Amino acid sequence: MRRAQVGKVLAGVILFGIIFAVMRLTAGERTATMPLEGGIRDVLAPVQAAATQAGRIVYEGLGTLFSLGRAARVEQLEKQVRQLEGKVAELNEYKVENERLRRLLAFREETRDRYELLAADVIARDPGNWFGTITVDRGAADGVRPYMPVLLPEGLVGRVLRVSQHTAEVLLITDPHSGVGGVVQETRTPGVLRGIVNSYGRLRMTYLAKDAPVKKGHTVVTSGLGGMFPGGIPVGKITAVRPEPTGVTKEAFVEPLVNFGHVEEVLIMLRVTPGG
Amino acid sequence: MPALILFTLFMVAVLLESTILDYARVAGVKVDLVLVLVVFHAIVRGPREGALWGFIGGIAQDILTGSYIGLNALVKMLTGYCVGLGESTFYKDSTVIVAGITWLATIFAGIVTYVLLLTLGLFISPADAVARVILPLSVYNLAVALLFYRRFYVWETRGFLAPR
């Protein structure tokens, strides 16, 4: 091999090594953006917001044009159904909790009344297809901090991953990095909800006891274990249950209540109000 | 000047991917416009240019993604280089051949991404990776290549991207 060729190969290996090292360094859960990264995001935020808004208008306009309004109406009704399902799950959660604890508790207002919530618009999404993150137009300047839960009336959306001054990146529960402590509402069976891949589709609920009476149609809510998410936030409905490959436990597939394809605004839980 | 226009084209592609193109998802995936551009450019200009613009487009995606900075840069750089190696052998004038190469390049990029993620400690079931990302994305990219390669080729050979 000639010297020039050896040099090229060596340069390639060094470049690969440097990029791989940067990948490793940024693979963990960074809670803040790097200065350059944060600056670029803040500068791009208004452009992304405008582009997303334009896309939304075109998408909705085309939908109305091609279906003479039917598709838009169906989507609106589907959204209402999901919201009501989330509401039912929320109310059931209170009922089950009350029964289980056998204590007389004053019926609390809706779950979101217990939290201080901040509304934020979705301005961008992960440009790729492997992960599920969204960027919202609220950041450190608005009091947003990493690990804050993010939700919608229908159910849990995810949590704040990292923040720049005026934007925040939200890790969706469908992302393969995501792990949420969950519990099957009807049977109180605990498990861990993990994203599969991409920002769409199902979740996998693992570590369910082999003999747990979990079945299709059951509702999954957050367990509150781990301290990241308050308990009782609706997550989704079980669509299938099967034994895990090891045979020791079983796993369930969960369809999220939130339609992640059409999330336009989210609520960031700044804090749980005292007594909540 | 052509380089500046190409750079703008890549930045617009990244911006579209993170905004409008999310509304054009098919089978859960959106087109990887940056990868398609890298393949087009590498076919016409060869491995060195393919790798360079693969890196530029990929790093722009990485900055917006926030995780694994360098992942897309590395994958697209490698894909651009490999596709570019066939520059002198591919029949560049044929949209169908280029679409086929785009399909193969997408599968290659998907496999490299999967292996790198595995190396970095993120396990995704191979079946999910193939069924939910790699295969649908390869078909989507192929369709986009069929639609847009001819125009890009004219730009690269006789239009504003042609070397001065």
Side-chain angles (χ1 to χ4, degrees):
Chain A
M1 198 183 279
R2 287 180 300 165
R3 181 174 284 194
Q5 280 178 314
V6 174
K8 273 184 189 174
V9 172
L10 200 64
V13 170
I14 291 170
L15 183 64
F16 180 87
I18 292 171
I19 297 175
F20 196 79
V22 174
M23 270 162 56
R24 281 207 82 92
L25 282 174
T26 53
E29 286 215 1
R30 294 180 299 132
T31 53
T33 53
M34 292 184 285
L36 176 66
E37 187 189 4
I40 291 172
R41 283 175 181 223
D42 285 342
V43 168
L44 275 181
V47 183
Q48 288 180 311
T52 301
Q53 182 64 21
R56 197 175 294 160
I57 289 166
V58 171
Y59 174 78
E60 284 168 4
L62 285 177
T64 307
L65 189 70
F66 286 121
S67 63
L68 298 174
R70 281 195 305 275
R73 178 72 184 141
V74 168
E75 191 177 309
Q76 191 190 351
L77 289 171
E78 282 177 348
K79 190 176 179 182
Q80 278 177 5
V81 168
R82 283 194 301 275
Q83 281 181 347
L84 289 171
E85 278 180 351
K87 187 85 74 187
V88 167
E90 239 176 61
L91 294 173
N92 279 343
E93 179 61 15
Y94 283 128
K95 191 177 164 208
V96 171
E97 192 179 358
N98 284 349
E99 285 169 357
R100 183 169 51 87
L101 297 173
R102 297 184 181 196
R103 282 161 56 180
L104 289 173
L105 294 170
F107 200 75
R108 294 182 191 274
E109 291 181 349
E110 294 176 24
T111 301
R112 60 182 178 274
D113 293 338
R114 295 157 58 192
Y115 315 126
E116 188 180 332
L117 300 169
L118 175 73
D121 282 332
V122 176
I123 58 168
R125 291 162 188 274
D126 188 301
N129 287 294
W130 291 87
F131 307 120
T133 59
I134 54 175
T135 306
V136 296
D137 64 348
R138 302 284 193 162
D142 304 290
V144 179
R145 301 283 177 269
Y147 304 114
M148 284 178 170
V150 178
L151 63 159
L152 278 172
E154 300 97 296
L156 186 66
V157 172
R159 66 180 164 89
V160 175
L161 189 60
R162 53 188 147 250
V163 293
S164 68
Q165 203 58 22
H166 302 292
T167 67
E169 196 178 343
V170 176
L171 182 74
L172 303 179
I173 53 173
T174 51
D175 186 285
H177 295 95
S178 172
V180 179
V183 61
V184 180
Q185 194 172 52
E186 290 83 353
T187 62
R188 311 314 298 172
T189 308
V192 177
L193 289 147
R194 295 196 177 280
I196 295 176
V197 69
N198 211 320
S199 59
Y200 290 82
R202 300 179 298 177
L203 305 166
R204 187 176 278 136
M205 190 174 189
T206 53
Y207 306 124
L208 294 168
K210 197 178 175 184
D211 56 349
V214 175
K215 60 183 183 187
K216 186 179 170 183
H218 279 172
T219 302
V220 178
V221 298
T222 54
S223 64
L225 296 174
M228 197 174 295
F229 301 100
I233 300 174
V235 178
K237 293 265 185 197
I238 291 176
T239 56
V241 183
R242 70 175 189 191
E244 283 195 43
T246 55
V248 181
T249 55
K250 60 184 178 184
E251 63 181 7
F253 289 99
V254 177
E255 189 76 34
L257 290 171
V258 172
N259 180 354
F260 287 99
H262 296 98
V263 173
E264 293 168 9
E265 299 94 19
V266 293
L267 298 165
I268 301 170
M269 193 184 292
L270 296 180
R271 64 183 63 85
V272 178
T273 54
Chain B
M1 194 61 176
L4 191 65
I5 295 171
L6 196 59
F7 181 78
T8 310
L9 213 56
F10 270 95
M11 293 308 112
V12 170
V14 175
L15 190 67
L16 290 177
E17 281 181 2
S18 68
T19 55
I20 295 171
L21 288 179
D22 212 76
Y23 291 97
R25 279 184 184 265
V26 178
V29 295
K30 55 185 164 187
V31 64
D32 191 342
L33 216 49
V34 169
L35 182 65
V36 172
L37 283 176
V38 168
V39 171
F40 286 0
H41 191 66
I43 283 171
V44 180
R45 298 265 176 261
R48 198 183 272 252
E49 284 272 313
L52 172 70
W53 287 98
F55 179 81
I56 292 171
I59 201 78
Q61 284 183 314
D62 288 329
I63 287 173
L64 284 188
T65 303
S67 298
Y68 306 107
I69 290 176
L71 176 70
N72 280 301
L74 196 57
V75 170
K76 265 129 195 148
M77 188 171 73
L78 263 176
T79 310
Y81 186 81
C82 292
V83 170
L85 286 175
E87 178 222 351
S88 53
T89 43
F90 294 145
Y91 187 54
K92 297 175 201 172
D93 217 16
S94 166
T95 302
V96 175
I97 288 176
V98 172
I101 293 164
T102 308
W103 181 73
L104 281 174
T106 308
I107 292 173
F108 172 78
I111 293 169
V112 176
T113 305
Y114 182 82
V115 171
L116 283 172
L117 288 176
L118 211 58
T119 316
L120 291 164
L122 180 67
F123 178 75
I124 296 168
S125 127
D128 286 328
V130 171
R132 290 173 175 268
V133 181
I134 298 175
L135 270 186
L137 183 60
S138 66
V139 175
Y140 202 163
N141 283 354
L142 177 146
V144 169
L146 280 174
L147 284 173
F148 295 106
Y149 176 69
R150 170 64 51 187
R151 183 167 295 273
F152 188 85
Y153 183 66
V154 171
W155 289 348
E156 283 267 19
T157 51
R158 300 189 291 276
F160 51 82
L161 293 176
R164 302 282 151 90

